[in-house]
Amino acid sequence: MLTENASMYAKFGISKEVLGFGTKIEEELKERFAKIDEVAEYNQLKVIHAMQVNKVSEACLYSTTGYGYNDLGRDTLEKVYATAFGTEDALVRPQIACGTHALAVALSGNLRPGDELLSPVGKPYDTLEEVIGIRPSNGSLAEYGVTYRQVDLKEDGSFDYEGIAKALNERTKLVTIQRSKGYQTRATLSVTRIGELISFIKGIKPDVICMVDNCYGEFVEKKEPSDVGADLIVGSLIKNPGGGLAPAGGYIAGKKEYVENAAFRLLSPGLGKEVGASLGVNSSFYQGFFLAPTVTAGALKGAVFAANIYERLGFAVVPNGKESRHDIIQAVTFGTPEGVIAFCQGIQAAAPVDSFVAPEPWDMPGYDSPVIMAAGAFVQGSSIELSADGPIKPPYAVYFQGGLTWQHAKLGILMSLQKLLDAGIVRLP
Ligand SMILES: *Cc1c(COP(=O)(O)O)cnc(C)c1O
């Protein structure tokens, strides 16, 4: 068995030593992986149950064109999302271009001039800075008279409850809570912690809308933020809930009124959810959501595996090898540009698509240093597929995530290790 697999790995240039090291680490993670599978099992049942109670039928897999009136598949899928996430309603559309767009729609649909937006968990994801107007931008919420306030996490990562209580005021209409750390150094928030924060906020201001940026978090735990009081949860379909099959799209799930407001903004006042042709994507949205719990589990195993490999080799990893997980992102700090580049080239070399190209750092618009990105994805930019990127600046860390299967994630991580070894950057213990 092992020799058969070893000879397959050899075809990729992976040495017996690298495979042996990886296999040893994998064996130590058996219990951890079993727990991930147990969560996936629960979430798989959750999704199938949601499909059954909403009577998903073959007719749902077909699509509409034009206005998209009476799109059974689209409307039923939105009920499936609502049931699975325990919300009153959901908006799940290919017309939502990405996660940033979904968040922008949810925010601008629910905020009015004179309202204030509060982030009680520090700086939001980079792209939201322009949506909110933290960095001046045409069409930002700031231009429409929506003000913004931010309360940073305390040094130890805990919530600054005193600061949050002070920041909440009569104009605070919506509170935005980002679950994943994104590209920051803070810890990702567990669903339990998000629940604690929401109860605190609602204790002071019951009518405030609590929205959670759920990107990269879906199906990592048995609960979602909507199960612990979030009024809206928002995410991208080319991350976890699309299961790798959704070719584009985003979702907004939550209280009916707030989801409707988002629909009026995405589409048009008066029309809302009634329009928006599904253009042939229904079947991949359903099938992707069906696969999402196990795809997320595979990505999670890859993240845990990488953390343990690189921790053992002496690199700083966030989260560390033992910590509990609340999203699928793994950061590894290599400390040198060469380390970041070799890692990304290894991930690329393991890809099913574009494996023959070697990524190089380049000056991407909007970044203050060259960035290297590895992605050999079926869907452009999909980060539920195995992908990695790193800015070429201190501390020289890479952020990596995804893997539609655990086996692919494993191959990618072993390839990255082989490249680092070949470049003389690491030595096996
Ligand atoms: C990915 C992500 C977004 C949105 O990014 P897009 O690239 O627009 O899909 C927003 N917030 C977080 C935390 C994310 O991880």
Side-chain angles (χ1 to χ4, degrees), residues 11 26 122 152 177 215 217-218 236 238 242 325:
K11 291 187 185 181
E26 184 182 349
D152 290 335
I177 300 165
C215 282
E218 298 89 353
S236 163
I238 61 168
R325 300 269 159 165

Side-chain angles (χ1 to χ4, degrees), residues 98-101 103 125 127 178 180 182 213 215-216 236 239:
C98 59
T100 306
H101 186 206
L103 289 157
Y125 199 72
T127 55
Q178 186 180 308
S180 169
D213 173 353
C215 282
Y216 288 131
S236 163
K239 295 180 181 171

Side-chain angles (χ1 to χ4, degrees), residues 345-359 375-376 415 419:
Q345 292 185 340
I347 296 295
Q348 186 78 39
V353 179
D354 288 338
S355 61
F356 47 87
V357 303
M415 282 297 273
K419 295 268 183 205

